Amino acid sequence: MSALPFRIGFGEDAHRLEAGRPLVLGGVPVPHAELGAVAHSDGDAVLHAVADALLSGLALGDIGQYFPDTAAEWAGMDSRVIVARALELVRERGYAPGNVAVVVTLDRPKLGPLRADIARSVAALLSLPESEVGVSFKTSEGLAPAHVQTRVTALLVRAGEG
């Protein structure tokens, strides 16, 4: 494994939105969402991007390699399982998350009231203090009203370095 004391990972995820589906972001159900994610799993774009950021930081591929959307056993899966597996792979290699920054692009509903809940949820999943999880929100300015997209950067710290 790498001799680098720190690694940086980047993850990105997007889902089309449709009426009649739930919207979950960062493990937090979004109340009053008129549209929800179309996905094989629960469609949590935040947690999918978090997992991919963890994996990419150590060149471990992406969540599709571990949880293919063609496998029936992953249908409707809670995305916290995906993050737990990515975190396990990171820890097996002697690293742990130091901090993460999450950016969600969604036109409606406004997510500001959920910022602390999402940060708290992601922090708990990664065993981080809430102060190490940045969460910000953007809109597509009407370019993609039936779409959610998330980008995440993660700093991974080798054990004993941080």
Side-chain angles (χ1 to χ4, degrees):
M1 191 76 247
S2 173
L4 292 173
F6 303 101
R7 304 286 298 250
I8 297 171
F10 177 78
E12 184 170 10
D13 194 55
H15 289 283
R16 186 169 44 88
L17 301 174
E18 281 185 359
R21 294 178 174 269
L23 182 61
V24 178
L25 295 171
V28 177
V30 178
H32 313 298
E34 296 173 11
L35 305 174
V38 176
H40 186 67
S41 68
D42 65 4
D44 189 326
V46 169
L47 294 187
H48 294 176
V50 166
D52 273 341
L54 295 173
L55 295 170
S56 77
L58 293 173
L60 298 173
D62 59 62
I63 63 175
Q65 291 175 254
Y66 301 93
F67 302 96
D69 64 4
T70 55
E73 68 262 31
W74 308 127
M77 177 180 51
D78 185 326
S79 292
R80 291 177 288 201
V81 172
I82 296 171
V83 172
R85 178 64 179 137
L87 188 56
E88 178 182 34
L89 291 167
V90 165
R91 287 182 174 151
E92 284 173 358
R93 285 152 180 84
Y95 286 81
N99 78 315
V100 296
V102 177
V103 180
V104 180
T105 302
L106 179 70
D107 284 0
R108 290 179 298 131
K110 297 296 184 190
L111 297 173
L114 298 176
R115 185 182 324 273
D117 292 337
I118 292 171
R120 189 176 308 112
S121 175
V122 171
L125 287 169
L126 299 178
S127 300
L128 287 172
E130 288 178 47
S131 61
E132 300 304 333
V133 178
V135 178
S136 53
F137 305 117
K138 306 292 179 202
T139 71
S140 76
E141 299 293 334
L143 295 174
H147 170 264
V148 61
Q149 185 168 18
T150 303
R151 295 170 187 88
V152 173
T153 55
L155 177 66
L156 303 178
V157 181
R158 194 172 57 204
E161 297 289 340

